[in-house]
Amino acid sequence: MGRSVEPAVTPHVAVTSLSKRFGASTVLDRVDLSVERGALVTLLGPSGCGKTTLLRLIAGLTAPDEGSIVIGGVDVTRMPPHKRNVGVVFQSYALFPHLTVAGNVSFGLKGKSLSRAEMAAKVQRALSLVQMERFGDRPVRALSGGQQQRVALARALAVEPNVLLFDEALSALDRNLRETMQIELRRLLKDIDATAIFVTHDQDEALTMSDKVAVMNAGRIEQFDDPVRLYARPRSLFTTRFVGVSSELRGTVAARQAGQLRIDTPQGPVLAEGDLPTGAAAVVSIRPENVAIGASDDQERNRIEGRVRSVIFQGPRSRVAVDVGASADFIVEVGGISTPPSPGDAIVLSWPASRSFAFADARQAA
Amino acid sequence: MTAAFARSLAIAMMALASLFLLAPLVVIALSSLSPTPVFDLPLGGASLRWYAALGSLDGLWPALFLSLEIAILSTAVSLAIGTLAGIAIVRRIVPGADILAAAATSPLMMPGLVLGIALLQYFRSLGLVQTWTSLLLAHLVVTLPFVARTMIAGLSRFDFTLIDAARTLGCSFMSSIWRVMVPALAPAYLIAALFSFLASMDNYPVSIFLTDARAKTLPVKMLQYIEESPDPSIAALSTLILVATLTLLLVADRTIGLHRLAGLEG
Amino acid sequence: MSRALEEAAAPPRLAFRAPQFSAGVLLALPAVLILVVLYAVPLARLMASSFVGPSGLGFEAYDRILGDPYGRSLVWNSVRLGALTTVVALIVGYPAAFGLAFARGALRSLFLASLFLPLAASVIVKSFAWSTLMRSHGVVNGVLMTLHLTHAPIRLLFTQFSLISGAVNIFLPFMILPIYTVVAQIDPILTEAAATLGASPARAFMRVVAPLSLPGVVAGVSIVFSLSVSAYVVPTLLMGESYPTLATTIARAFLLLRDPALGSAAGAILMAIGLVVVVLSRRFGEGDVGR
């Protein structure tokens, strides 16, 4: 369920069967995760899914109830945080207000028997990685949000940790700065060949920055894949809904044929990829950009009819909402050049069966 | 030493400090039950005679009323003045706001005795000999710093756009202060009022120089009692005050939480 | 459209359209009047009058105090009382403040009540109660004898021990509360950050928590020192005449001896000590206004 496919090397961070309970509720339920050296991995999910708890367990700020954590080949499950050599960048940055920028960055270096020259050199190197070389003597209170974030990062980098952990570290920045930082951060981490784990609820951020994404839901990892496969080949209804937009149809599995399912829906029979028993209640999902307007003779394509409810112009594309008689409108993306249909038009939609997926419907149609 | 051990040690220290601080109060309460006219623990047996005797204590009630009067009046005036000044300081609409804030809270660190003698000579030179007026004026200086400190802290957390909203809805500036800010700052007011009231009621160093043979405040009267004929009647009075305060603290904890009195939110 | 929003977001100006700060001046005026007329002026006059002796202007009154061994002992006694009380209160109060910050719920309320309740009892009655505890057949001696730490009652009354312990008892809340206020607001995430940077719990305390607790310590030390160096009731009731301080001298000079010059000189010295405390506390602490 959550393992990466055949790791070529021993994973740098390996979490096995990790569980954590707070009182009566189980926040993490036997979670497995492997992160390769040099990989940038994101834990993505809604609030309450356990992603922050998992990160804190890896950092050692909380202790697990069951399971083990191995970092760099060492079992750190019972090790206190100050011995694990992990770097953490917190959402609120957690800069020490009584120290300057240099004081913060050098904090983890004190007590490692470095000469003053060596320490100063490491501090400068860390600061130059985040382009804050000239800010060494500034008090941290005088810095802007973006600057504080860089200092927090430099501070974590200075101790050359085994793995870097980012706890919603970009969420306090405004949108433009956040998008710039996402790209910069990925480039920087790749340059220094760092292993990093991010926690975020922002799927755009996850897709932009990561080599692999672990989608989490209610204490479990639903899918652990690279962003492309996650988007194009979601393996659960939750992942389909959480990552990207999709339209859905409900029905019952009528037949299984050649790796695909034929599902009877109120809108007609529909072919989709999936593996469900005949007679099972199913939900079929399809991404808006894969739906075309107009009839097609191609037998590989599904077809339904509906009436246009609204058209929203978004510049390079338009988003068309179509009433097909389902509980929610079908969303279709239309490219910029073509003329979108008008509200009220009767319309025919088609899409390839290989691009839509059928999942079990946990909830019976009302 | 692990973090958990240090934590337990700190809590134990606070527990010991609590017992240490409550010890004299227990002694006071027990002494009030003393069967003999000696201010001591009731080893012989308990008696309520000192509570009964409270009514007939010479000069006690006038002193109590005078102290209450002065305390309530000076607290009320300080609350009003301190709030207005606090607004000016926090909103920085007065030049030298920082200096003013420091000046307003500095009497807390000035020895009360020094202030007492300074005011004594000053009032005399102005020809002000009336006890009541000089006490009231002096207690304004005693209570103002407590109000200033609490109100500055509370006002710096107040959202002033609420005043804007009230003014767009038809209130004048003063009216919006009264109708919007005062209710929102109610906890701060309670705390400021409590501290300044107690500071005034218990004030000895300033009051001693401004009272005379006819008009004494409660602390002055009590010290006189103790030095002349220390019997448990003052213990009885103090115990009553303590019980009243304990009730007040219970109510405060239920309504706003005792940690607010220490100046913390949440 | 955005300019209007910008203006709306700025701090509100008041209705009167005179120079910008005139409204603020009006608001602050009553307080400033009180501080000037009833505080600054009287103190300045006191300072001035301390330089007036029987033979005109001079340091005559100061000579009587500082030039005289007895006078110097007054200053020494006052400072000693202040220093000892402050040190003991700090040693007890610093860990206790942390204990208070760690406590939750009912325990915290109980602790806070034990700090606030004594403030409602008059310092006079508390001091007298303390002397009751210190009596030969008082509670402290009783406990000591029960624990077999001593065979006969120790004379505790009118000793330095009862004076300092009594002063600490009266002033301890003023040490604990300011430290608690500061410590309770230290974000726990800072100790977590320190741990992820390799600091053991002990080092995290020394390098993060302790420095951040300093403003509270400065406030507590300033208040307790000011109160105890100028205390009158506590030494009078617990030591009688055997521990003369500047404070007791001031009271005697004005109330008994009718010697205003001496009282003013002692008062001026005490005021100077007070000013030093105020200046030092602002230098080492933090004054936050409206932030």
Side-chain angles (χ1 to χ4, degrees):
Chain A
M1 187 66 53
R3 273 189 206 286
S4 57
V5 178
E6 303 306 321
V9 293
T10 316
H12 190 55
V13 178
V15 164
T16 313
S17 225
L18 208 59
S19 294
K20 181 70 186 171
R21 286 174 286 278
F22 285 120
S25 58
T26 305
V27 177
L28 280 183
D29 189 9
R30 287 159 295 156
V31 168
D32 298 309
L33 182 71
S34 319
V35 177
E36 293 167 19
R37 184 181 286 279
L40 306 180
V41 166
T42 298
L43 307 176
L44 173 69
S47 34
C49 69
K51 56 192 192 292
T52 301
T53 308
L54 180 54
L55 198 77
R56 289 176 61 89
L57 284 166
I58 297 174
L61 296 170
T62 322
D65 293 322
E66 284 150 26
S68 73
I69 306 166
V70 175
I71 300 179
V74 178
D75 186 329
V76 300
T77 321
R78 300 278 158 234
M79 213 184 266
H82 62 276
K83 298 207 178 117
R84 293 194 189 194
N85 199 22
V86 292
V88 181
V89 182
F90 296 88
Q91 185 177 15
S92 65
Y93 316 133
L95 294 179
F96 303 124
H98 60 295
L99 299 174
T100 58
V101 167
N104 268 276
V105 175
S106 64
F107 188 90
L109 296 173
K110 300 217 158 98
K112 289 200 179 187
S113 44
L114 294 171
S115 73
R116 294 187 69 180
E118 283 172 337
M119 196 179 305
K122 283 188 188 270
V123 167
Q124 275 307 105
R125 202 173 331 141
L127 284 175
S128 63
L129 281 175
V130 298
Q131 286 134 35
M132 295 277 289
E133 305 96 312
R134 284 171 295 117
F135 286 78
D137 289 324
R138 298 268 189 98
V140 294
R141 264 166 288 161
L143 300 176
S144 72
Q147 290 170 330
Q148 288 189 357
Q149 212 246 8
R150 288 164 193 261
V151 174
L153 179 57
R155 183 177 71 177
L157 287 171
V159 295
E160 288 158 34
N162 279 321
V163 56
L164 276 165
L165 306 173
F166 292 82
D167 186 4
E168 309 246 25
L170 301 179
S171 66
L173 301 173
D174 65 73
R175 176 143 149 257
N176 282 338
L177 191 54
R178 188 161 63 217
E179 285 175 3
T180 315
M181 277 307 290
Q182 285 166 9
I183 301 171
E184 251 192 61
L185 198 50
R186 183 181 162 85
R187 187 191 48 77
L188 164 63
L189 293 170
K190 283 298 180 188
D191 277 348
I192 62 176
D193 201 26
T195 312
I197 304 179
F198 298 89
V199 159
T200 184
H201 58 273
D202 180 344
Q203 46 140 329
D204 290 329
E205 190 169 295
L207 298 179
T208 309
M209 298 186 66
S210 332
D211 296 325
K212 291 180 90 157
V213 178
V215 176
M216 292 185 68
N217 180 28
R220 320 204 73 171
I221 295 182
E222 293 252 343
Q223 187 169 351
F224 184 42
D225 243 328
D226 64 76
V228 173
R229 265 213 286 257
L230 200 68
Y231 185 80
R233 257 230 139 269
R235 284 202 238 119
S236 73
L237 191 53
F238 179 84
T239 308
T240 314
R241 286 174 173 163
F242 197 79
V243 182
V245 176
S246 62
S247 308
E248 293 176 1
L249 294 173
R250 287 202 148 68
T252 321
V253 179
R256 300 157 60 99
Q257 47 193 79
Q260 289 181 342
L261 302 172
R262 197 182 86 228
I263 296 159
D264 286 337
T265 74
Q267 290 77 20
V270 161
L271 289 174
E273 303 277 319
D275 188 8
L276 296 169
T278 327
V283 176
V284 179
S285 82
I286 174 73
R287 301 248 186 243
E289 63 270 19
N290 292 325
V291 180
I293 297 178
S296 164
D297 289 329
D298 190 341
Q299 285 295 88
E300 296 296 309
R301 293 183 77 88
N302 291 306
R303 172 209 148 102
I304 56 171
E305 290 167 7
R307 193 166 290 277
V308 176
R309 200 195 291 277
S310 68
V311 178
I312 300 176
F313 175 68
Q314 291 179 325
R317 58 164 187 249
S318 294
R319 214 153 241 203
V320 182
V322 181
D323 179 9
V324 299
S327 52
D329 287 345
F330 229 71
I331 308 293
V332 185
E333 241 182 51
V334 175
I337 319 172
S338 39
T339 322
S342 309
D345 287 357
I347 198 174
V348 174
L349 303 172
S350 73
W351 68 89
S354 57
R355 291 280 180 88
S356 64
F357 305 99
F359 303 107
D361 187 359
R363 181 169 51 94
Q364 295 302 325
Chain B
M1 182 190 297
T2 68
F5 180 69
R7 202 174 260 252
S8 315
L9 204 63
I11 293 183
M13 205 57 173
M14 182 64 219
L16 279 173
S18 290
L19 292 173
F20 178 66
L21 288 169
L22 291 174
L25 305 185
V26 171
V27 170
I28 293 171
L30 290 176
S31 302
S32 69
L33 300 170
S34 164
T36 64
V38 178
F39 191 119
D40 208 340
L41 298 172
L43 302 164
S47 159
L48 289 174
R49 59 190 273 210
W50 304 109
Y51 288 92
L54 274 179
S56 54
L57 275 176
D58 177 38
L60 183 70
W61 296 108
L64 178 63
F65 286 139
L66 179 62
S67 281
L68 276 173
E69 232 183 335
I70 299 285
I72 292 174
L73 273 173
S74 61
T75 299
V77 174
S78 283
L79 276 177
I81 293 181
T83 304
L84 296 177
I87 297 175
I89 291 172
V90 169
R91 304 298 288 158
R92 312 193 84 79
I93 48 182
V94 62
D98 285 325
I99 302 177
L100 183 57
T105 53
S106 71
L108 288 171
M109 288 184 219
M110 191 57 58
L113 270 175
V114 174
L115 188 61
I117 56 174
L119 284 173
L120 173 67
Q121 302 195 294
Y122 182 61
F123 287 153
R124 272 214 201 117
S125 73
L126 292 178
L128 173 63
V129 287
Q130 214 213 9
T131 310
W132 196 92
T133 318
S134 29
L135 273 175
L136 182 61
L137 290 173
H139 277 234
L140 280 179
V141 184
V142 168
T143 52
L144 188 61
F146 287 97
V147 175
R149 186 177 61 176
T150 314
M151 292 317 296
I152 289 175
L155 280 166
S156 60
R157 292 187 202 121
F158 177 71
D159 180 6
F160 275 86
T161 56
L162 293 177
I163 302 287
D164 284 345
R167 290 173 75 198
T168 62
L169 290 165
C171 290
S172 68
F173 181 72
M174 277 301 163
S175 169
S176 22
I177 297 284
W178 181 247
R179 294 179 61 189
V180 174
M181 196 173 82
V182 170
L185 287 175
Y189 277 112
L190 281 170
I191 294 161
L194 185 65
F195 275 118
S196 60
F197 180 79
L198 286 176
S200 172
M201 283 294 291
D202 191 26
N203 183 281
Y204 182 85
V206 174
S207 309
I208 180 61
F209 298 105
L210 301 173
T211 54
D212 59 24
R214 281 160 301 149
K216 292 188 194 291
T217 59
L218 189 62
V220 175
K221 192 75 190 163
M222 282 205 279
L223 189 59
Q224 186 190 7
Y225 260 165
I226 286 186
E227 287 178 331
E228 289 172 4
S229 55
D231 64 40
S233 46
I234 29 167
L237 178 63
S238 293
T239 309
L240 287 175
I241 296 174
L242 280 172
V243 171
T245 311
L246 189 59
T247 322
L248 208 73
L249 287 177
L250 266 165
V251 171
D253 194 28
R254 282 296 146 87
T255 51
I256 60 178
L258 274 184
H259 53 282
R260 294 280 181 88
L261 262 73
L264 292 171
E265 292 298 305
Chain C
M1 164 103 145
S2 65
R3 257 210 77 199
L5 283 175
E6 258 172 45
E7 284 191 352
R13 304 286 160 78
L14 296 161
F16 347 138
R17 265 291 137 207
Q20 187 201 324
F21 54 74
S22 76
V25 172
L26 265 171
L27 283 177
L29 198 58
V32 172
L33 268 175
I34 291 180
L35 286 172
V36 168
V37 171
L38 293 174
Y39 178 64
V41 168
L43 286 178
R45 279 185 94 260
L46 179 69
M47 203 62 171
S49 77
S50 67
F51 294 112
V52 174
S55 41
L57 278 175
F59 293 95
E60 204 254 323
Y62 284 94
D63 270 338
R64 283 173 67 188
I65 296 178
L66 296 173
D68 177 37
Y70 177 75
R72 284 197 292 274
S73 75
L74 293 176
V75 178
W76 174 239
N77 281 348
S78 302
V79 172
R80 196 163 163 279
L81 175 60
L84 279 173
T85 306
T86 306
V87 167
V88 176
L90 184 60
I91 293 175
V92 174
Y94 191 73
F98 278 92
L100 178 56
F102 289 139
R104 292 273 168 269
L107 188 62
R108 182 174 69 164
S109 295
L110 257 162
F111 283 160
L112 284 168
S114 75
L115 286 172
F116 290 125
L117 201 55
L119 297 178
S122 159
V123 61
I124 293 161
V125 186
K126 276 187 298 192
S127 305
F128 197 71
W130 195 255
S131 66
T132 309
L133 278 173
M134 297 279 138
R135 288 212 192 112
S136 305
H137 40 273
V139 170
V140 175
N141 265 314
V143 168
L144 287 175
M145 289 205 284
T146 316
L147 293 176
H148 295 295
L149 289 168
T150 168
H151 296 296
I154 310 178
R155 197 186 134 254
L156 293 168
L157 268 185
F158 295 104
T159 60
Q160 299 265 321
F161 173 77
S162 78
L163 173 65
I164 303 295
S165 61
V168 171
N169 184 279
I170 307 283
F171 299 126
L172 189 58
F174 299 102
M175 178 66 80
I176 294 181
L177 281 171
I179 300 179
Y180 163 69
T181 307
V182 169
V183 165
Q185 288 177 337
I186 297 178
D187 195 341
I189 211 174
L190 292 176
T191 40
E192 290 192 340
T196 63
L197 290 165
S200 64
R203 305 203 76 195
F205 177 83
M206 290 303 301
R207 298 181 56 202
V208 177
V209 177
L212 288 174
S213 72
L214 210 55
V217 172
V218 170
V221 164
S222 310
I223 296 173
V224 170
F225 185 79
S226 308
L227 288 172
S228 50
V229 79
S230 62
Y232 171 71
V233 173
V234 178
T236 303
L237 285 177
L238 290 174
M239 292 290 276
E241 309 271 304
S242 56
Y243 197 84
T245 62
L246 288 171
T248 56
T249 306
I250 292 173
R252 279 178 63 226
F254 275 95
L255 299 172
L256 283 173
L257 304 174
R258 306 273 160 207
D259 189 349
L262 175 65
S264 304
I269 295 176
L270 208 50
M271 182 164 81
I273 297 178
L275 278 170
V276 168
V277 172
V278 170
V279 167
L280 283 179
S281 76
R282 286 194 65 72
R283 170 93 169 62
F284 288 107
E286 265 171 5
D288 267 354
V289 174
R291 267 179 254 285

